[in-house]
Amino acid sequence: MADRPETPSTSGPEAKAEAPHVPVLLRPLLAAVAPVTGTWIDGTFGAGGYARGLLEAGADRVIGIDQDPLALQMAESWAPAWGDRLQIVQENFANMDAVAETHAPEGLAGIVLDLGVSSMQLDLAERGFSFLRDGPLDMRMSQSGPSAADLVNEMEEGPLADTLYLYGEERASRRIARAIVRAREEEPITTTLRLAELIERTLPRTKPGQSHAATRSFQALRIAVNDEYGALAEGLMAAERALPPGGALAVVTFHSIEDRMVKRFFQLRTGHSGNVNRYAPVQEAEAAAFTQKTKKGIGPDDDELAVNPRSRSARLRVGFRTSAPAEDVDRAAMGMPGAAKPGGKGGRRR
Ligand SMILES: C[S@@+](CC[C@H](N)C(=O)[O-])C[C@H]1O[C@@H](n2cnc3c(N)ncnc32)[C@H](O)[C@@H]1O
């Protein structure tokens, strides 16, 4: 598994913060949904790279959605130049069908999602996403609700270990959870570097070339704080409700669990509902809500890898809406970690 990688920059974090945001897989995405016309939702607006790409490719209008107020603030300097063609809404993309109803009554041509954290968020120490920069242990994209510090200082050891394991695939989750509980008994853990150093001390030394010891735990906490898998499951279903026949849904993921959820969603909703999860109830074959030109995930080509090695783990999956009615999809069948299995409890066996 790999997440949007956090690499110490050789020229210092300040230089990285000033580096232009490079939208990942934008070219293959635009090619996959061409011709681009009509109204689009960019459900993960971030620095606006996808929204601008869609507008430049011929979209009449783009409704950008981001739950982070910072994304809207950052766009204030350039978005007005697009006039009525670009509107930005602070919202969770789980609610994008309601956003579409209000802001795009003319109907949508497509929806794009580029999941995860933005480099803008990672680079700002005060947002608490980075294990390389000291800041408050925050990690809240929406800047509201419980923070990572709340989770780390308040969760019981067992559920904390489960979170690290299920959301970060951290095999040393129990050891790390135990170390966290011991450390917080002495003093609450409130900063990113205190947590990162604690994890580094708990895990055997990582070899050169391996990711930082805290990578998986930080990813797990970020996913839990922002309920990223819950939002993804809800967002995919909201997209199915919002799109008219022919509408495109293009999703870019950055790690294997997200990609598995998107892949299974499309498998289930293109009529391949059998046997994707042995715990899932056997679902009646429903009329396909999406078609796909290719079931394979699309990755970066050599040119993109050469200019943006960070794109290495990115995968794009695209589907086109049919006229079949929208249906809810079982979260466990979608492969959502920790989703309740029928007849059993969610989470791993202890
Ligand atoms: C990887 S960045 C997107 C970058 C964007 N494609 C660009 O080119 O600038 C992901 C963005 O999605 C936002 N985000 C993540 N989950 C979200 C959700 N459930 N609802 C709304 N925004 C979300 C984050 O705040 C972040 O700004």
Side-chain angles (χ1 to χ4, degrees):
M1 154 190 283
D3 199 7
R4 221 162 268 262
E6 199 183 351
T7 40
S9 147
T10 46
S11 48
E14 298 77 17
K16 191 163 155 260
E18 283 161 19
H21 174 77
V22 187
V24 173
L25 294 181
L26 178 60
R27 211 150 40 108
L29 183 149
L30 293 173
V33 300
V36 179
T37 55
T39 301
W40 286 72
I41 281 189
D42 174 357
T44 49
F45 182 78
Y50 277 26
R52 271 195 303 271
L54 288 164
L55 288 164
E56 283 162 8
D60 298 324
R61 289 180 62 221
V62 173
I63 319 292
I65 298 177
D66 205 295
Q67 61 180 332
D68 188 344
L70 177 70
L72 280 79
Q73 274 168 34
M74 299 289 285
E76 277 169 12
S77 61
W78 61 269
W82 288 96
D84 292 347
R85 292 182 64 200
L86 178 58
Q87 250 180 300
I88 312 168
V89 182
Q90 191 198 335
E91 188 46 272
N92 193 304
F93 63 59
N95 304 320
M96 70 173 110
D97 50 342
V99 174
E101 243 180 78
T102 311
H103 295 276
E106 70 275 31
L108 292 177
I111 294 170
V112 295
L113 293 175
D114 176 19
L115 301 174
V117 68
S118 69
S119 31
M120 203 156 73
Q121 290 164 328
L122 263 180
D123 289 341
L124 288 171
E126 66 267 30
R127 299 302 301 275
F129 289 101
S130 171
F131 49 77
L132 298 173
R133 298 169 183 80
D134 203 13
L137 193 53
D138 189 321
M139 302 196 192
R140 295 169 303 171
M141 290 183 187
S142 65
Q143 300 187 27
S144 63
S147 67
D150 292 330
L151 261 58
V152 158
N153 291 300
E154 288 166 22
M155 275 178 99
E156 287 185 26
E157 186 177 324
L160 183 56
D162 285 350
T163 300
L164 301 181
Y165 179 77
L166 286 169
Y167 291 177
E169 295 183 325
E170 174 54 73
R171 278 183 292 177
S173 56
R174 293 205 175 133
R175 229 177 325 143
I176 295 172
R178 202 170 313 129
I180 288 174
V181 168
R182 278 204 197 120
R184 77 190 188 193
E185 278 164 4
E186 292 179 8
E187 197 187 348
I189 302 165
T190 55
T191 65
T192 49
L193 284 197
R194 177 151 181 243
L195 179 62
E197 284 160 10
L198 174 78
I199 297 169
E200 259 188 311
R201 281 199 305 275
T202 309
L203 292 189
R205 277 184 81 78
T206 45
K207 297 184 192 111
Q210 270 187 340
S211 53
H212 189 289
T215 305
R216 287 182 295 276
S217 298
F218 268 61
Q219 176 187 308
L221 288 171
R222 189 202 84 213
I223 288 170
V225 165
N226 296 291
D227 184 25
E228 289 181 38
Y229 296 143
L232 176 56
E234 291 303 320
L236 294 171
M237 291 187 262
E240 182 174 318
R241 290 192 295 273
L243 284 171
L249 172 59
V251 188
V252 172
T253 59
F254 252 88
H255 62 75
S256 52
I257 297 178
E258 278 173 356
D259 183 51
R260 185 179 69 202
M261 286 180 66
V262 177
K263 180 176 157 184
R264 288 191 180 167
F265 171 79
F266 278 130
Q267 279 175 338
L268 291 161
R269 302 307 292 141
T270 51
H272 297 260
S273 56
N275 241 0
V276 288
N277 183 324
R278 66 196 165 104
Y279 299 106
V282 177
Q283 300 203 342
E284 291 293 315
E286 283 152 4
F290 284 92
T291 58
Q292 284 185 294
K293 290 178 187 156
T294 170
K295 300 204 180 296
K296 278 196 168 170
I298 299 165
D301 61 17
D302 292 344
D303 289 349
E304 178 158 6
L305 276 173
V307 291
N308 185 10
R310 282 175 154 199
S311 67
R312 143 181 113 253
S313 322
R315 286 292 169 278
L316 162 69
R317 294 184 188 273
V318 183
F320 296 89
R321 191 73 173 85
T322 70
S323 57
E327 299 276 350
D328 278 358
V329 179
D330 182 85
R331 289 172 173 219
M334 234 190 269
M336 181 174 147
K341 317 274 190 293
K345 285 202 271 184
R348 64 175 154 160
R349 240 173 263 165
R350 304 190 59 79

